Amino acid sequence: MRKIFISLTLSLLLCSCSYAETRARFIFIGDIMTHDQQLDAARNKHNPESYDFSPQFRRVKPLLENAFLVGNLETVFAGRSKKLRYAGFPFFNTPDVLAELLSKDLHVDLLTLANNHIFDRKTSGARRTVQVLNSQDIAWIGLGLDDVASNDAVLLENDGIRAAFINHTYGSNEWPKSKDVHLNVISSADITKSLERAKSLSPDIIIACFHWGNEYHFSPNIHQKRAADIAFENGVDLIIGTHPHVLQPVEVRISSDDKVKAVAWSLGNFVSFQRTLPRERSIILAAEFVKDDEGITRLVKLSEAPLYVIAPGQKRTEVTYAGTDEKIIASLDFSGLNKSQLNNLRTIGRQVNEFLGAQNETDEYGFYTLWDEKSFDVLPKSKRKTPK
């Protein structure tokens, strides 16, 4: 009787689980850059061989916890030698400790590498970047090398929802002579190949990360729109854009059969030392998906947390929450900021929210709703022409 009881109990549990909805939250950050000023601030004054980037992220770290985190790595880990040094723009090269911080401190799950700076230190720099990320257990996408095919996709699971990611760029600042590393570029043929690979992995959702657009422009160009249409027509559920270094709108598309897709045209800089407005303004974008009891997955919510990269005393950069949620503010570190700086943060956050057309209320994460299936027909509508 005991064996039968256990069997019946397991059957009931399995039956219950199979009919339960699965919900997963993915969050996305923009360009991760390290200019010379950031390198100087991170260097240990007493030990020039040692670097610590954690102060640059300490004010927003709680916003990134307990979530599936995706970012765009716009630098390389090429190492240092007599002929090679760490540097910022225009040829980035960052100490490996940043990768360790991204992995162990911020818990980044995936980094996109198809961008215009991945070959700043030739193919050898791109290869070593991949090796460093592998050593830190950070998944990556955007390159083809060795046993990773060009125009490939990566499948990652988050809280029971399987997401296939693809990553392409408009091009690169450097085109190395060596052909042993392939860069995924934005073209109809290459995007289609990546999506064929993505579909073969049997994902619940497909997310495309595109490095595209015109720098410092607040709206998408025709090439972005064409690439987005190709992606959506071939099964993509969500598009995340980077490269312009400023925010561009978030667009929600609802088809005639009520299928919801979305594109964040540009998330802006997550961290950098680009100090002119509005390049210090960005967001953390959150996308929530639900898989129902029939195995169909749908987008149910989009939200954002406004960010501002402050530079106290112009000596370092610190990514800072610019929202007004008092509960979230109480959990974050605003030490050292005066009343004027705090008021400025709130103004910037309001301007970002108005530009994106976000709703006024915040959720339990301190994020502002852009779209929610509970208010299905209410789409984000910008109230400003720029985020400044």
Side-chain angles (χ1 to χ4, degrees):
M1 292 294 292
R2 181 174 175 80
K3 290 182 179 179
I4 295 175
F5 176 76
I6 292 174
S7 177
L8 287 172
T9 302
L10 287 173
S11 296
L12 288 171
L13 286 172
L14 289 172
C15 181
S16 175
C17 289
S18 64
Y19 287 95
E21 282 193 338
T22 301
R23 191 180 188 100
R25 183 171 181 262
F26 297 79
I27 63 174
F28 304 86
I29 55 178
D31 299 323
I32 301 169
M33 309 177 76
T34 52
H35 289 90
D36 288 333
Q37 295 91 337
Q38 294 166 264
L39 293 171
D40 291 341
R43 186 182 295 112
N44 189 318
K45 295 179 181 180
H46 305 290
N47 181 8
E49 301 299 315
S50 176
Y51 289 79
D52 180 10
F53 292 92
S54 59
Q56 299 184 30
F57 308 102
R58 65 187 177 93
R59 299 187 188 275
V60 293
K61 180 182 173 183
L63 294 173
L64 307 176
E65 293 176 344
N66 303 315
F68 188 99
L69 178 57
V70 181
N72 176 54
L73 183 68
E74 200 145 12
T75 184
V76 297
F77 303 115
R80 185 166 63 173
S81 65
K82 291 182 179 179
K83 297 183 179 180
L84 187 62
R85 64 183 183 87
Y86 298 135
F89 183 84
F91 301 110
F92 290 99
N93 183 25
T94 302
D96 296 355
V97 292
L98 176 61
E100 182 178 359
L101 181 147
L102 294 174
S103 172
K104 295 182 171 57
D105 207 36
L106 300 187
H107 306 292
V108 172
D109 294 281
L110 174 67
L111 287 172
T112 56
L113 302 184
N115 58 59
N116 57 306
H117 284 286
I118 189 60
F119 290 141
D120 277 5
R121 302 295 170 166
K122 313 301 181 183
T123 55
S124 60
R127 276 188 167 277
R128 191 177 182 281
T129 299
V130 166
Q131 293 169 0
V132 170
L133 296 181
N134 287 341
S135 72
Q136 295 298 330
D137 294 322
I138 299 177
W140 53 271
I141 188 70
L143 298 176
L145 72 167
D146 299 334
D147 59 343
V148 177
S150 60
N151 302 312
D152 204 359
V154 62
L155 183 70
L156 299 171
E157 184 172 317
N158 176 27
D159 289 339
I161 291 182
R162 291 157 52 91
F165 291 85
I166 68 167
N167 177 213
H168 292 255
T169 178
Y170 74 92
S172 174
N173 294 347
E174 298 291 318
W175 286 101
K177 296 179 181 179
S178 173
K179 301 296 183 182
D180 66 335
V181 178
H182 174 90
L183 178 64
N184 296 349
V185 297
I186 294 175
S187 72
S188 178
D190 287 357
I191 292 173
T192 301
K193 288 178 182 176
S194 285
L195 290 176
E196 289 174 353
R197 172 60 177 159
K199 293 173 187 176
S200 73
L201 301 175
S202 301
D204 296 309
I205 57 173
I206 300 177
I207 299 174
C209 300
F210 289 149
H211 203 70
W212 59 4
N214 297 109
E215 291 184 329
Y216 320 128
H217 285 219
F218 304 118
S219 57
N221 63 30
I222 189 172
H223 303 293
Q224 288 171 271
K225 293 177 181 179
R226 286 173 179 170
D229 288 341
I230 293 169
F232 284 140
E233 289 166 4
N234 285 276
V236 167
D237 298 282
L238 175 65
I239 299 174
I240 302 298
T242 54
H243 176 63
H245 302 301
V246 294
L247 280 170
Q248 291 184 352
V250 176
E251 179 183 345
V252 177
R253 300 185 182 185
I254 302 177
S255 64
S256 57
D257 59 353
D258 288 341
K259 176 71 174 179
V260 180
K261 298 174 181 285
V263 50
W265 293 107
S266 173
L267 297 183
N269 293 329
F270 178 63
V271 65
S272 76
F273 207 85
Q274 293 187 322
R275 298 310 309 154
T276 55
L277 287 173
R279 292 185 290 177
E280 315 103 317
R281 306 177 183 206
S282 70
I283 60 171
I284 306 171
L285 181 75
E288 297 181 36
F289 292 87
V290 164
K291 181 163 61 175
D292 65 21
D293 55 8
E294 296 181 353
I296 298 175
T297 305
R298 67 188 189 277
L299 178 66
V300 297
K301 183 179 179 181
L302 282 173
S303 56
E304 54 85 14
L307 303 177
Y308 180 60
V309 181
I310 63 173
Q314 294 296 315
K315 294 180 180 180
R316 63 186 184 278
T317 57
E318 297 176 349
V319 189
T320 310
Y321 176 67
T324 57
D325 188 291
E326 294 299 332
K327 182 179 179 181
I328 300 301
I329 289 173
S331 70
L332 301 176
D333 184 357
F334 289 90
S335 60
L337 301 182
N338 59 41
K339 185 176 181 179
S340 176
Q341 290 172 317
L342 292 173
N343 288 337
N344 188 44
L345 278 173
R346 307 299 168 252
T347 299
I348 289 169
R350 185 184 70 254
Q351 292 170 339
V352 166
N353 291 342
E354 290 176 351
F355 173 72
L356 295 174
Q359 299 175 25
N360 294 328
E361 297 78 16
T362 54
D363 59 20
E364 66 269 32
Y365 303 102
F367 283 53
Y368 295 82
T369 299
L370 292 165
W371 177 86
D372 192 316
E373 72 169 3
K374 295 176 182 177
S375 303
F376 196 82
D377 295 324
V378 180
L379 304 180
K381 186 177 180 181
S382 179
K383 299 177 182 178
R384 304 175 63 91
K385 292 183 178 180
T386 75
K388 65 179 179 179

